[in-house]
Amino acid sequence: MCDVTMSRLAGLSLILLLAAATTNACTRLSRVVKPWTGGFQGEFSLPVSQGISTWSARLEFEHGVNKLEIWTAQATKENDKTFILKPTTWNGNVGAGQTLKMEFVVHYSDGSATGTNPCLTFFPGQASPGDSSNVPATSPPVDNKPQQPVKPAVPGNNGKIETPGAKYNYDEALYKALLFYEAQRSGKLPADKLIDWRGDSELNDGKDVGRDLTGGWHDAGDHVKFGLPMASSATMLLYGLEFIKDGYEFAGQYGMGLRQVRWALEYFRKCYVDKDRFYAQVADGDADHSWWGRPEDNYQHRPTFTIGGDKPKGGADIMGETAAAMAAGYVVFKDVDAGFANGLLSDAKQLYNLGKKNPGTANSIIPKLHKFYNSDAWEDEMAHAAAWLAYAVGSDSGEYQGYLGDAKNYFKGGEVPWSLSWSEKRPAVAFMLYKLTGGEYKSDIENFLKEWLPGGSLPRTPKGLVWRDKWGSNRYAANAAMLALLAAKNGINTKQYYDFAASQINFMLGDAGRSYVVGFGHNYPQRAHHKAASCPWKPAPCGWNEYNSWSPNPHVLDGALVGGPGELSGNFVDDRSKFEFTEVATDYNAGFTSALAGMKYFAARPAS
């Protein structure tokens, strides 16, 4: 790096919102999210004019603090009122033009205290307050010239690469998108849980069938554990961890990705402890939707629904997709935890064979399933499982040709699928077959994406979202973007597919004029349709009054991608009760998360 560039980097400084002329002036809150007697939830917004590689801050409250919860910094208590803040693993580097947000909840020692005016003193470029080793003795003059659009990617520790020229902070977005899955956890939570407002829940799941079915993910804003969308969500996450692993590593989030997907994979193995059947769903959708409250307070009867065993034939859709997830899990974890990975592969093979014996969907087997997730086919999930099993065992295995042949036979190529989603896997299967065959099935990928590209058959909102349906419009576009990035990274129409994916993902991050990702960017949604996030801290009650309240959710559901525009006009309503706009779900986030890894990859390795 040239001396001039080094000099500029050494003198980078941060201009704070509402700050005085001096760099370390006191910054006040940009927003009081929710006040109450004895504490409040607040947010600082710190716009960055020039990039920095580290920072620290001193946060001082008006009253003594009993507990501080902050998700965007590591906090160390200096005294009764004051905390020292330092970056997390993902937000130490802040690019020019980006905004560093400090979101927190404070509980005062005095339960009657009501102050909401803390002081944040920021130290840009300083690893600790008062450490000027990384800051020039004299601040350089402000350069009012436009910033150069191209900036070098800077390698960091453990494969992390800084991309200060990226349009958005993909490191932060990826971290938060993964953090959403932590908020969806059911069961006994570990001591190192990352979200303080979540606790243990639904510890009796599976007792009605004599099994331990605790764990897994709540499907959406509700608390049902539906088998097919959970398996699909895991598989879509695993696409990113396997085929865009370097994007995860560039963002410093590969370990976080493994942490989140493992939670679901461990649950799938619990659901397949009896090898002649699969426990495909826990909780009744209607009963769950009749109640609003915290999962920690959920003491409803939660029945278990089974496929296989003595049930009528069917359920290959759920069996197949879960087998695909476990086979993909084997691939991702085999060099991380061989014992866990080998168990996944063994279960994947057996569950796939059970699916072959149970052709048909689970719609008619699990009561009322069609009201919530009406699967329209089962062959695509079985093709998905066979393709991932072929990839997992490798071409040297005697099983390889059998799995590859099954994948080809189950796959219905030629026709253009309506979407890539929890119910439709053919676009993903086409990608897997392209990988397995050394280039065949390319036309199936291209024919699908052609409909999503400019000039294709699908309409766009005024701000550019390819609009497939009113329910989860962001989700469908994010999934298509994920496939486009997988194809681009593998040499298929690289620049064209990257440009399309960037247009969709950046729309969701802020190009729409607002963010559709909770806790990220400008004007993000405040009222996601999510029971746990809508409930105040205990001992305050939570019920339908909170559902109907126009107040923002007391807890920030970081990283959740909301459904998005519910109309082709681009109209969006931030209303908890209008869940076509504000619904969140594990399947909404899954393709989006892998796409974010792809965006990080191409920020470091620009498409050409």
Side-chain angles (χ1 to χ4, degrees):
M1 186 177 294
C2 68
D3 291 342
V4 173
T5 303
M6 290 293 291
S7 175
R8 285 179 61 89
L9 286 175
L12 293 178
S13 60
L14 181 131
I15 306 301
L16 300 179
L17 181 69
L18 303 179
T22 58
T23 303
N24 303 133
C26 180
T27 300
R28 298 299 180 179
L29 288 174
S30 61
R31 186 165 69 102
V32 176
V33 178
K34 188 176 181 69
W36 58 83
T37 302
F40 70 98
Q41 181 178 349
E43 177 182 283
F44 291 97
S45 292
L46 309 172
V48 176
S49 64
Q50 293 180 304
I52 54 174
S53 60
T54 190
W55 54 265
S56 58
R58 178 175 282 108
L59 177 57
E60 184 174 0
F61 292 93
E62 300 158 274
H63 307 284
V65 174
N66 177 47
K67 184 178 182 182
L68 173 68
E69 299 175 67
I70 186 163
W71 307 280
T72 49
Q74 301 180 65
T76 303
K77 198 167 189 177
E78 188 175 57
N79 57 48
D80 190 43
K81 298 181 181 180
T82 307
F83 293 79
I84 300 301
L85 307 182
K86 295 186 178 182
T88 67
T89 59
W90 51 265
N91 67 354
N93 291 273
V94 187
Q98 296 179 343
T99 299
L100 179 63
K101 287 185 180 292
M102 301 282 188
E103 305 160 4
F104 65 90
V105 171
V106 63
H107 302 270
Y108 290 131
S109 300
D110 178 357
S112 63
T114 57
T116 59
N117 194 30
C119 170
L120 181 77
T121 307
F122 202 84
F123 298 88
Q126 300 183 35
S128 298
D131 176 11
S132 60
S133 59
N134 294 318
V135 181
T138 302
S139 298
V142 176
D143 183 0
N144 292 319
K145 296 179 181 178
Q147 295 295 309
Q148 295 300 312
V150 178
K151 298 183 180 180
V154 182
N157 295 328
N158 301 317
K160 188 168 175 18
I161 290 181
E162 306 306 333
T163 51
K167 188 169 189 178
Y168 292 99
N169 187 339
Y170 298 119
D171 298 18
E172 177 190 356
L174 181 56
Y175 172 80
K176 288 186 173 181
L178 290 164
L179 188 63
F180 166 71
Y181 289 93
E182 190 102 3
Q184 295 304 102
R185 289 184 174 191
S186 176
K188 179 73 174 176
L189 301 187
D192 66 346
K193 66 178 183 176
L194 300 178
I195 297 179
D196 284 350
W197 48 269
R198 283 300 328 279
D200 300 343
S201 62
E202 297 126 5
L203 299 181
N204 292 321
D205 282 1
K207 284 192 174 180
D208 59 329
V209 292
R211 295 290 180 260
D212 174 12
L213 300 181
T214 58
W217 292 325
H218 297 135
D219 175 62
D222 57 13
H223 301 148
V224 185
K225 296 191 293 196
F226 289 107
L228 183 54
M230 193 190 305
S232 176
S233 299
T235 312
M236 295 284 272
L237 288 173
L238 287 158
Y239 268 100
L241 288 165
E242 171 60 10
F243 297 117
I244 321 178
K245 178 181 178 180
D246 35 12
Y248 269 96
E249 290 175 334
F250 293 169
Q253 298 305 326
Y254 186 66
M256 180 68 165
L258 296 180
R259 172 190 174 99
Q260 299 310 332
V261 78
R262 182 165 183 153
W263 190 265
L265 293 171
E266 290 177 341
Y267 172 73
F268 297 150
R269 296 204 67 198
K270 288 183 177 182
C271 293
Y272 192 44
V273 66
D274 299 314
K275 301 309 180 187
D276 68 331
R277 66 195 64 200
F278 185 76
Y279 299 110
Q281 181 180 320
V282 176
D284 176 88
D286 282 340
D288 182 89
H289 290 186
S290 71
W291 175 82
W292 192 268
R294 304 177 185 88
E296 295 79 11
D297 298 335
N298 185 6
Y299 299 110
Q300 289 185 315
H301 172 58
R302 291 168 58 84
T304 302
F305 298 95
T306 307
I307 52 179
D310 58 358
K311 301 295 182 181
K313 287 190 180 301
D317 50 352
I318 300 176
M319 295 176 186
E321 190 60 23
T322 309
M326 290 195 289
Y330 162 78
V331 173
V332 168
F333 280 93
K334 64 183 179 181
D335 295 327
V336 178
D337 185 338
F340 175 61
N342 290 334
L344 287 171
L345 183 59
S346 175
D347 279 356
K349 292 177 179 180
Q350 294 179 73
L351 186 57
Y352 173 71
N353 288 332
L354 185 63
K356 294 179 79 170
K357 297 174 184 177
N358 285 276
T361 72
N363 293 344
S364 62
I365 301 171
I366 299 177
K368 299 183 285 187
L369 177 60
H370 66 280
K371 292 176 58 177
F372 303 97
Y373 287 99
N374 186 32
S375 176
D376 54 7
W378 57 276
E379 295 90 346
D380 55 326
E381 280 82 20
M382 289 296 287
H384 208 200
W388 268 107
L389 281 164
Y391 186 80
V393 301
S395 58
D396 292 337
S397 168
E399 300 172 293
Y400 177 80
Q401 289 297 334
Y403 288 132
L404 179 59
D406 281 358
K408 292 179 177 180
N409 290 334
Y410 280 125
F411 179 68
K412 295 179 179 179
E415 59 185 66
V416 178
W418 189 81
S419 69
L420 171 58
S421 69
W422 64 268
S423 180
E424 175 58 87
K425 304 305 185 311
R426 283 178 293 170
V429 176
F431 174 78
M432 291 299 297
L433 288 173
Y434 171 84
K435 296 282 290 183
L436 292 166
T437 61
E440 298 177 38
Y441 298 87
K442 177 182 176 182
S443 63
D444 291 284
I445 299 171
E446 292 179 321
N447 289 339
F448 173 74
L449 289 174
K450 179 181 178 181
E451 303 304 311
W452 295 79
L453 295 174
S457 63
L458 298 179
R460 294 180 177 238
T461 66
K463 294 291 181 65
L465 179 73
V466 180
W467 199 81
R468 170 45 98 184
D469 189 69
K470 68 180 290 185
W471 296 102
S473 56
N474 281 338
R475 170 259 315 265
Y476 290 117
N479 290 352
M482 182 199 83
L483 182 67
L485 289 165
L486 289 170
K489 195 170 181 289
N490 282 269
I492 305 176
N493 303 326
T494 299
K495 185 64 166 62
Q496 182 185 31
Y497 285 176
Y498 165 76
D499 287 345
F500 157 70
S503 74
Q504 301 305 293
I505 299 303
N506 288 341
F507 170 93
M508 298 166 203
L509 296 178
D511 280 8
R514 65 167 306 135
S515 169
Y516 285 101
V517 182
V518 178
F520 180 90
H522 168 69
N523 190 25
Y524 59 76
Q526 303 292 318
R527 303 171 189 85
H529 180 90
H530 191 269
K531 291 181 182 181
S534 77
C535 291
W537 289 95
K538 285 187 174 185
C542 185
W544 290 109
N545 285 339
E546 282 63 40
Y547 170 84
N548 291 311
S549 169
W550 189 246
S551 297
N553 287 342
H555 304 299
V556 179
L557 188 64
D558 276 321
L561 177 70
V562 300
E567 302 167 2
L568 183 56
S569 67
N571 182 49
F572 173 78
V573 181
D574 189 7
D575 185 335
R576 193 178 298 109
S577 67
K578 296 185 182 302
F579 40 89
E580 66 269 33
F581 300 101
T582 57
E583 180 75 282
V584 297
T586 60
D587 80 287
Y588 283 22
N589 256 60
F592 174 67
T593 302
S594 288
L596 286 170
M599 292 301 296
K600 176 63 179 184
Y601 171 82
F602 281 110
R605 303 283 186 268
S608 59

